[in-house]
Structure formats: structure tokens, C-alpha cells
Amino acid sequence: PARFQKFWLSFAEKYSRSTPHEGYTILDKWLGGGQLSRLQQWHYQKSQKQAQRESSSSIPDDTNTAKWWVYTSNVDGHFHRYKSFQNQLCEIHGNANEFR
């Protein structure tokens, strides 16, 4: 156990010192900066169509659903460095900064 914990700590520290590549910044600008207005428009129109199909006069409550998600197998934890990903992030393998 001690050998594994030493290994885990070593690579977690390396990830925390590393710099995210440009792709993270690009996604952050698109998603956090509202540059995906067509996606937002599509999501709203989809909600309206669903409400009409259900014969409801109101748009369904989708406050618990996001317009987009980041689904990643990266374990570097870099998405946590950007505010726009905090509530729409699924790390399938977890991240190096969390040990269970």
C-alpha cells in the first residue's frame, strides 16, 4: 500500500504542475463564453417541441439538465481549472487529485 500511495502522489503532483493544452481554453471560450448560441437556441426549440407533444402549455422544467456535457477519460483534473466545466463534467475514470 505504501508503494502505491507514493506512486499515486507522485503522478498527481506532476499533473497539478502541468499546464493544460490549448484545447481546454478553446472549449472554455465556446462553452463558458456563450459562443455556442445555436446550441442554446436548439435546446430551447427542442424543449418547446417536447412541450407541444405532451399537450402542455408550458415548457418542461429542465433545470437539472445541461445544454452540454464534457465526458472525459482524462485523469489530469485540468477541466477543474475552468469555471465553465464545473457543473457539466463527467470524468469516467475520476481524476488524479482524488484518491479513494
Side-chain angles (χ1 to χ4, degrees), residues 5-58:
Q5 290 174 351
K6 185 177 179 180
F7 159 77
W8 190 274
L9 180 61
S10 171
F11 91 90
E13 287 174 342
K14 288 177 186 175
Y15 278 140
S16 67
R17 289 191 306 264
S18 66
T19 303
H21 62 72
E22 185 180 0
Y24 290 92
T25 302
I26 292 170
L27 284 174
D28 183 50
K29 286 180 182 177
W30 287 354
L31 303 172
Q35 293 186 20
L36 295 180
S37 59
R38 294 183 94 192
L39 177 63
Q40 293 172 352
Q41 181 182 10
W42 174 83
H43 188 270
Y44 176 76
Q45 289 170 348
K46 183 179 171 187
S47 295
Q48 283 187 319
K49 288 177 185 177
Q50 181 181 354
Q52 289 171 354
R53 279 194 305 269
E54 295 173 356
S55 300
S56 173
S57 60
S58 64

Side-chain angles (χ1 to χ4, degrees), residues 4 8-9 11-13 15-16 24 72-81 86 89-100:
F4 174 76
W8 190 274
L9 180 61
F11 91 90
E13 287 174 342
Y15 278 140
S16 67
Y24 290 92
T72 182
S73 61
N74 296 357
V75 296
D76 54 25
H78 288 172
F79 280 110
H80 291 277
R81 298 181 187 188
Q86 289 179 357
L89 180 60
C90 178
E91 295 172 306
I92 191 65
H93 299 299
N95 73 65
N97 298 316
E98 295 179 359
F99 180 75
R100 294 182 185 160

